[in-house]
Amino acid sequence: MNYPDDRKYSKDHEWIMVDGKTVTVGVTEYAAEQLGDIVYVELPQHGEDFAQGETFGVLESVKAVSDCFAPISGTIAETNDSLSNSPEVINEDAHGEGWMIKINVSDPRELEELLDHDAYEEFVKEETS
Amino acid sequence: MAKHTPLYDAHVGLGARMVEFADWDMPVQYTGIKDEHLAVRNAAGLFDVSHMGEIEITGPDALALVQHISTNDASTMIDGKAQYSLMLNERGTVIDDVIIYRFTQERFIIVVNASNVEKDFQWIRKHANNNVAVTNRSDDYALIAFQGPKAPEILQGLTEIDLPSIKRYHFSSGMAAGINDVIFARTGYTGEDGFELFCKPADAPALWIALLDAGKSLGVKPAGLAARDTLRIEMKFSLYGHEISEETNPYEAGLGWVVKMGDENNFYGKDLLVEVKKQGIKRRLVGFTMIDRAIPRQGYAIVKDGNTVGEVTSGTMSPSLDIPIGIGFVLPDMRAVGTRFHIDIRGKLREAEVVETPFYSSSQPKPKA
């Protein structure tokens, strides 16, 4: 799998693209593949606040339910509402069209704790070995 | 360490994702649940169910023992007949749901759930007298389920046995793909036509490959435990540990049709069921679909007017119908089709409605891949 180097990653298998004070968050290809066919996506409301590590949404495959954890503290600025009608986009394009939320970051220092693409690739390797 | 079926290497070779289930390493999926599920509905799927247990009962009192431990009427069976049945404990609740195969009046094989093999074996043995032998033969059989509308014609290409003469819930034995002593049982757990094939463990890989090769061009795929589960949920078939358990009596699970209360059928637990009936059935198993968008899952509460009135036993997104479906226990007066209630899904109440089951019928238009 190929993890783009234009963004950061979390150990909960999310990618975080930074654009000024706003970050876009989605799950990685690896996470999408592990989940299998995603059939349902639950996203937060606009303006909701989340602390780092809190559950902001849910992904469901045919068999399993997985919580999505906020990789960073902040306020929801935008959600990818097209996912509610076509959740399969996450399987098809996890790193692009399958983005889930945009967050207005409240504490930019948290960004420093995230992994770069090399570190994430290493992390996945360790987890699968 | 979890046990391996004789097909373990074949699964790994096919790229299956393996999970531990009832102490076995089993394939949960190969190409994807939906893909495998639809292959079974539209063509056929191949399942390794070798983890299931086989308990053999032989001797002059074999029929009497089978009658004693099972709720269905085994005396009506002829040689070559299979029968779905239940074993009850001293509380009249379900020890296991099983399929009983009659070879002769003095030889039966009972196929039991993988997680219950030892429990069932001990239970049956406890009820045996000196004129009957009870043997756990689980290690002597591999079991491959070949299920789907195209399964019979593909299997016919590999055997001389006249398959159309084996009716549903009957079996015969003979050669398949050059392998001797294969038992062809027209049984299954998917709602589709098909066979369950018992063979010697050493022969299982060759039979598996022969079936896959013969069916590949017709859309046959290996299918894992996950697809097996979504297929049976669409049919509202009970699964031990979900719809039935030692906390469930047959009537509340909708399995009264498997219990034969006639004078000649004196099975263990019968008097308890008389009592259960007298007291009235306190909950009923229903199938429902969601009105609100959300997927019900096992263990979620069923709520009506602010009160918890039941629990979801199984739920999934239906791969054939592309809607969320669920099975659950509700109060008896809530079982009519059209009844609405809510499912507590992660703290939010989502509306659901009782529907006719099975959810899916093999006579309806085929689901698109």
Side-chain angles (χ1 to χ4, degrees), chain B residues 4-14 18:
Chain B
H4 288 180
T5 77
L7 294 167
Y8 178 84
D9 290 340
H11 302 318
V12 172
L14 286 161
M18 306 298 289

Side-chain angles (χ1 to χ4, degrees), chain A residues 3 11 19 21 23-24 34 36 39-40 43 46 57-58 62 65 69-70 72-73 88 92 99 102 105-106 111-112:
Chain A
Y3 302 105
K11 289 188 175 177
D19 180 15
K21 284 191 123 177
V23 296
T24 306
Q34 288 299 306
V39 292
Y40 180 76
L43 294 172
H46 248 238
V58 173
V62 177
V65 183
F69 303 104
I72 199 148
S73 309
E88 68 280 2
E92 289 158 7
W99 68 275
K102 294 189 181 186
V105 177
S106 57
L111 287 168
E112 290 160 26

Side-chain angles (χ1 to χ4, degrees), chain A residues 34 60-63 84, chain B residues 17 229 293 297 316 346:
Chain A
Q34 288 299 306
E60 295 196 45
S61 63
V62 177
K63 280 293 281 184
S84 63
Chain B
R17 186 180 302 170
D229 193 41
R293 280 183 56 87
R297 305 281 183 184
T316 186
R346 296 180 292 274

Side-chain angles (χ1 to χ4, degrees), chain B residues 289-307:
Chain B
T289 57
M290 302 301 298
I291 294 178
D292 291 330
R293 280 183 56 87
I295 303 172
R297 305 281 183 184
Q298 183 181 25
Y300 289 1
I302 298 177
V303 179
K304 179 95 175 170
D305 303 327
N307 300 311

Side-chain angles (χ1 to χ4, degrees), chain B residues 105-131:
Chain B
Q105 191 176 322
E106 298 196 357
R107 180 172 178 243
F108 293 80
I109 285 182
I110 303 184
V111 174
V112 307
N113 281 297
S115 51
N116 292 336
V117 178
E118 195 53 35
K119 175 180 85 168
D120 293 359
F121 175 57
Q122 296 302 344
W123 178 261
I124 297 169
R125 214 165 60 161
K126 203 170 100 179
H127 294 273
N129 63 24
N130 290 333
N131 288 321

